[in-house]
Amino acid sequence: MYPSPNEPPKYSVEGHPGHHVPTSGYPNPMTSSVQAVAPPYPASNFQPHAAAGKWSTNLCHCCDDPANCIITCFCPCITFGQISEIVDRGSTNCAANGTVYGLLAMTGFACLYSCFYRSRLRGQYDLAEDPCVDCLVHFFCEACALCQEYRELRNRGYDMGIGWEANVDRQKRGVMVPPVMGQSMTR
């Protein structure tokens, strides 16, 4: 019934700090110290900004949306106007920003204007300045940058063809367009 002195105890508290069982077998509340107890459930793996800094698609994945790619190649002012209206949260409209972009494109300075909106988009969604600084991305890869920004907003649930006000109305009614899963997001 009683264990022999050479037999290990069945229920050992060795290795558990703060738990001292005297030789009598009864714990003494005066000798135990109060310690933090671990919760009975595993710790959560939730990280609030786990995806922060990551674009939903890469810069050179223009053909993920072939229709937008063609429109952006032949008339980038349309794509830019749609992006700028969403980034400005409706304070300017698509047509006005698209017209300004088109006029600046004739002078060669449209990349500076669109670079400003890329920086604002990155700031709103905490995106990395990737693959290089915004001005260089727009100077060397203007069409690809506009396509990436368009896809980013679309993947975040915006319907790019209806403008800011209609997107806000859809969100108020609870109608959201689910993000389109690209090849890089599937198994």
Side-chain angles (χ1 to χ4, degrees):
M1 180 158 178
Y2 295 105
S4 68
N6 296 336
E7 189 176 314
K10 252 186 199 180
Y11 304 103
S12 173
V13 291
E14 292 175 12
H16 297 281
H19 296 284
H20 175 70
V21 179
T23 55
S24 69
Y26 297 105
N28 184 355
M30 301 303 281
T31 60
S32 65
S33 61
V34 177
Q35 292 188 351
V37 178
Y41 48 85
S44 171
N45 290 331
F46 175 73
Q47 296 174 353
H49 297 290
K54 301 288 272 178
W55 289 83
S56 61
T57 60
N58 289 332
L59 181 65
C60 296
H61 287 178
C62 297
C63 293
D64 285 354
D65 186 353
N68 177 254
C69 182
I70 292 170
I71 289 170
T72 305
C73 284
F74 291 107
C75 194
C77 55
I78 294 172
T79 302
F80 176 77
Q82 292 172 329
I83 293 167
S84 64
E85 183 175 358
I86 300 296
V87 171
D88 280 342
R89 301 187 185 276
S91 64
T92 59
N93 67 15
C94 174
N97 284 338
T99 303
V100 170
Y101 181 88
L103 293 173
L104 286 172
M106 289 188 253
T107 64
F109 291 110
C111 62
L112 294 176
Y113 188 48
S114 59
C115 157
F116 171 72
Y117 278 92
R118 183 177 181 90
S119 297
R120 288 189 62 196
L121 175 70
R122 282 189 324 93
Q124 286 177 359
Y125 295 109
D126 196 24
L127 298 169
E129 199 167 22
D130 190 39
C132 59
V133 295
D134 297 335
C135 288
L136 291 177
V137 170
H138 274 272
F139 184 74
F140 290 108
C141 304
E142 178 73 12
C144 294
L146 290 174
C147 286
Q148 182 187 29
E149 294 159 15
Y150 181 93
R151 289 189 312 272
E152 184 67 34
L153 291 170
R154 188 195 64 215
N155 290 343
R156 290 184 181 269
Y158 292 103
D159 184 350
M160 300 299 289
I162 63 175
W164 173 255
E165 292 298 324
N167 274 296
V168 169
D169 289 342
R170 292 179 83 175
Q171 288 176 357
K172 285 180 183 175
R173 289 190 318 238
V175 178
M176 286 295 296
V177 177
V180 178
M181 293 193 55
Q183 292 293 336
S184 62
M185 297 178 83
T186 60
R187 290 184 188 181

